[in-house]
């Protein structure tokens, strides 16, 4: 099929490249000229495993091209996927849907033949209904322009895998013709057994935010348990392992630590709380405020623990931080707990040196006043304390012997609860985790 993808961030770029790889003809629309030029050369402007090969293959085959023109997009495609971002508004908890609105209005004016527009962006419930009205009003083809809402559940670090092998396809429609077109489009995935849920717009929109709200709740639940573990001498990793064996609970997303960050979970739960308020159901969503608060408290707790571990005064303390990305296998530092903690320590007078295998460059752009090192060991030179805040596998490889004669004081804090604390202790280090014995 001939499709277009509006907005080529990590969601749109991955969708565009993966769909071209499946054999579709794809035109990507990206208004940022630098990003567009890089993508057209087959270069991925973000770090996302395997996306570079996929993009290079798709661009090289001639099946994936890029533009900044809505008229070209409308002329090219029979299916248009809207993948633009919905960040948190600067002055409120609400999502900023201006990019979605701009994409729909920009495209609609040029839609002069039967076509299907598919929203994939994460939006406040009710947006699809409004966008359907926009299309009906603005598109010259009027009622022949259909809308479907088809949320995306890909995880950064696994974006290619999740796009090629989604665990479900959710289709929100008002018209069975739209359902049929999307079923045809995803036929290879559906034939391979991917479950399909066909529903209304509002449910499709809610599925996405409800998924992220549930994941965030799981993380804050175990982080709250970590605090209780600390007060009682219990161990949160043993606790998570044990409750996780119950298949109704499950072990995944029960890793206690410095908390969740990134461009999705934090802003999605806040936008959900805000939207619930607009809908008059804020009481039902109050718990999500607590989920957010528990998450924020984890970051603050790490700062307090670091202060205690350097003897009660951060001013002048030298602190090495392992990790800047919000999670491993990403260079994304949006709302990153590791960088938030680093920034706070720095503001309190500590000398902070950060090392991240992929995110030093993106981190430096947001936090230029921190120092950056080129390796985990280099970051630790003369350090009074080492903080492990993003669980890249290479940090698990560092041994106490590697840091002998490097650090000023052998003190380590594991903010992701994945290091072998006993091994460090037996080498004479003072070590702490969150909610760990
Ligand atoms: C999340 C969802 O997992 C995806 O399903 C969704 O499509 C995506 O948001 C989105 O809305 O676009 P992502 O932001 O890539 O994906 O990251 P996650 O893997 O969910 O991790 C989020 C944060 O939670 C990270 O900071 C991670 O370190 C933290 N986390 C995760 C924990 O602290 N503990 C855990 O047990 C798991």
């Amino acid at each position: 099929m001939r499709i277009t993808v509006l907005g080529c961030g990590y969601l749109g770029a991955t969708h565009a490249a993966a769909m071209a790889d499946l054999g579709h003809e794809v035109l990507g629309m990206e208004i940022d000229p630098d990003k567009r030029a890089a993508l057209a050369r087959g270069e991925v402007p973000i770090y996302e495993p395997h996306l570079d090969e996929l993009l290079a293959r798709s661009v090289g085959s001639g099946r994936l091209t890029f533009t900044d023109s809505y008229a070209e997009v409308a002329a090219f495609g029979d299916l248009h996927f809207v993948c633009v971002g919905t960040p948190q508004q600067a002055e409120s908890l609400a999502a900023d849907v201006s990019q979605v609105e701009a994409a729909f209005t920009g495209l609609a004016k040029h839609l002069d033949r039967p076509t299907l527009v598919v929203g994939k962006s994460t939006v406040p419930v009710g947006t699809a209904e409004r966008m359907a009205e926009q299309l009906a009003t603005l598109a010259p083809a009027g009622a022949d322009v259909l809308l479907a809402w088809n949320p995306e559940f890909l995880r950064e670090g696994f974006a290619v895998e999740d796009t090629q092998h989604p665990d479900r396809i959710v289709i929100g429609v008002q018209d069975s013709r739209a359902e049929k077109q999307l079923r045809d489009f995803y036929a290879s995935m559906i034939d391979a057994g991917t479950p399909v849920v066909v529903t209304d717009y509002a449910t499709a929109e809610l599925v996405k935010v409800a998924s992220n709200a549930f994941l965030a709740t799981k993380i804050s639940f175990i982080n709250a348990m970590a605090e209780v573990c600390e007060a009682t001498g219990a161990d949160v990793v043993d606790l998570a392992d044990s409750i996780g064996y119950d298949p109704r609970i499950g072990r995944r997303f029960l890793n206690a630590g410095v908390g969740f960050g990134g461009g999705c979970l934090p802003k999605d739960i806040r936008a959900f709380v805000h939207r619930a308020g607009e809908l008059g159901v804020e009481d039902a969503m109050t718990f999500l405020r607590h989920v957010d608060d528990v998450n924020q408290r984890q970051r603050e707790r790490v700062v307090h623990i670091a202060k205690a571990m350097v003897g009660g005064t951060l001013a002048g303390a030298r602190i090495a931080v392992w990790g800047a990305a919000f999670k491993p296998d990403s260079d994304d530092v949006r709302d990153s707990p590791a960088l938030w903690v680093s920034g706070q320590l720095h503001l309190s007078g500590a000398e902070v040196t950060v090392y991240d295998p992929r995110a030093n460059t993106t981190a430096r752009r947001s936090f230029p006043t921190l120092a950056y090192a080129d390796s985990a060991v280099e970051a630790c030179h003369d350090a009074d304390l080492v903080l492990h805040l993003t669980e890249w596998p290479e940090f698990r490889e560092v041994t106490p012997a590697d840091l002998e004669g490097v650090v000023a004081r052998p003190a380590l804090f594991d903010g992701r609860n994945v290091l072998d604390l006993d091994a460090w202790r037996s080498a004479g280090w003072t070590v702490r985790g969150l909610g760990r014995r």
Side-chain angles (χ1 to χ4, degrees):
M1 290 186 192
R2 287 168 69 86
I3 69 157
T4 75
V5 175
L6 291 89
C8 294
Y10 89 90
L11 161 59
T14 312
H15 187 66
M19 296 307 126
D21 204 47
L22 277 178
H24 300 292
E25 298 287 324
V26 185
L27 179 63
M29 158 109 187
E30 175 52 58
I31 52 172
D32 180 324
D34 295 337
K35 218 189 260 182
R36 188 173 64 249
L39 290 166
R41 290 193 301 270
E43 292 164 17
V44 183
I46 49 172
Y47 175 68
E48 181 61 47
H50 312 299
L51 184 54
D52 46 0
E53 304 122 62
L54 187 71
L55 183 78
R57 208 162 53 230
S58 298
V59 169
S61 71
R63 281 197 300 273
L64 175 56
T65 50
F66 294 91
T67 183
D68 64 349
S69 152
Y70 284 113
E72 267 179 49
V73 165
F76 182 94
D78 302 312
L79 248 72
H80 305 284
F81 290 91
V82 176
C83 297
V84 294
T86 51
Q88 186 178 336
Q89 285 181 12
E91 304 298 329
S92 124
L93 298 184
D96 172 359
V97 291
S98 58
Q99 293 177 49
V100 174
E101 285 163 354
F104 271 88
T105 43
L107 178 64
K109 291 184 268 210
H110 300 282
L111 296 175
D112 54 8
R113 61 188 163 89
T115 190
L116 174 64
V117 183
V118 185
K120 283 189 98 57
S121 305
T122 302
V123 290
V125 57
T127 306
E129 185 93 51
R130 272 200 303 120
M131 293 306 114
E133 283 159 19
Q134 288 274 41
L135 290 175
T137 317
L138 297 176
D144 283 336
V145 176
L146 303 176
L147 174 69
W149 215 264
N150 169 223
E152 178 59 56
F153 305 99
L154 63 80
R155 298 159 296 167
E156 292 188 33
F158 298 90
V160 171
E161 163 77 14
D162 289 350
T163 304
Q164 291 174 330
H165 307 285
D167 43 23
R168 76 283 213 194
I169 295 172
V170 176
I171 299 175
V173 286
Q174 274 181 338
D175 186 306
S176 59
R177 288 174 297 167
E179 175 192 341
K180 161 115 186 40
Q181 279 193 57
L182 269 183
R183 280 186 182 275
D184 288 347
F185 180 70
Y186 288 126
S188 61
M189 295 173 189
I190 296 171
D191 291 347
T194 309
V196 180
V197 179
V198 180
T199 184
D200 51 81
Y201 290 155
T203 309
E205 294 168 310
L206 276 173
V207 168
K208 176 60 196 272
V209 283
S211 294
N212 279 357
F214 190 82
L215 294 171
T217 303
K218 247 188 134 173
I219 299 168
S220 280
F221 171 82
I222 202 66
N223 281 333
M225 288 300 139
E227 218 170 318
V228 177
C229 285
E230 273 174 28
T232 54
D235 187 276
V236 75
V237 176
D238 290 350
L239 179 81
D241 288 345
S242 306
I243 64 175
Y245 282 120
D246 182 334
R248 293 170 302 174
I249 296 173
R251 179 64 179 83
R252 296 176 74 188
F253 269 71
L254 279 186
N255 296 321
V258 63
F260 59 79
C264 303
L265 259 51
K267 66 103 178 160
D268 285 354
I269 61 167
R270 291 174 198 143
F272 199 6
V273 167
H274 181 90
R275 185 69 184 126
E278 289 175 347
L279 294 166
V281 287
E282 59 268 50
D283 289 351
M285 289 295 117
T286 307
F287 76 96
L288 278 182
R289 283 189 190 273
H290 294 303
V291 167
D292 201 9
D293 290 347
V294 169
N295 195 52
Q296 182 56 30
R297 196 164 63 241
Q298 286 304 97
R299 300 176 182 197
E300 287 158 11
R301 286 181 64 219
V302 173
V303 173
H304 287 130
I305 293 169
K307 186 175 173 189
M309 287 184 83
V310 296
T313 313
L314 284 168
R318 296 176 63 94
I319 299 180
V321 175
W322 287 349
F326 83 105
K327 69 184 225 183
D329 279 324
S330 171
D331 64 357
D332 194 342
V333 297
R334 284 176 295 170
D335 209 345
S336 164
L339 272 187
W340 190 94
V341 168
S342 303
Q344 288 298 310
L345 294 172
H346 175 74
L347 282 176
S348 306
E351 286 178 40
V352 181
T353 305
V354 176
Y355 165 69
D356 188 287
R358 293 281 177 178
N360 271 11
T361 307
T362 44
R364 196 181 268 115
R365 261 183 238 139
S366 322
F367 285 78
T369 52
L370 300 174
Y372 293 89
D374 291 327
S375 75
V377 173
E378 191 192 309
C380 296
H381 271 289
D382 285 333
D384 299 309
L385 173 66
V386 180
L387 299 182
H388 172 241
L389 298 183
T390 311
E391 69 276 36
W392 286 92
E394 72 171 69
F395 298 139
R396 289 199 278 279
E397 308 294 314
V398 182
T399 64
D402 294 329
L403 297 184
E404 201 167 326
V406 175
V407 292
R409 290 177 54 229
L412 171 69
F413 171 77
D414 182 8
R416 290 295 179 175
N417 287 343
V418 293
L419 301 180
D420 183 350
L421 300 190
D422 288 339
W424 288 87
R425 273 189 193 121
S426 36
W429 282 63
T430 302
V431 287
R432 275 197 67 174
L434 276 167
R436 300 219 66 188
R437 267 193 302 273

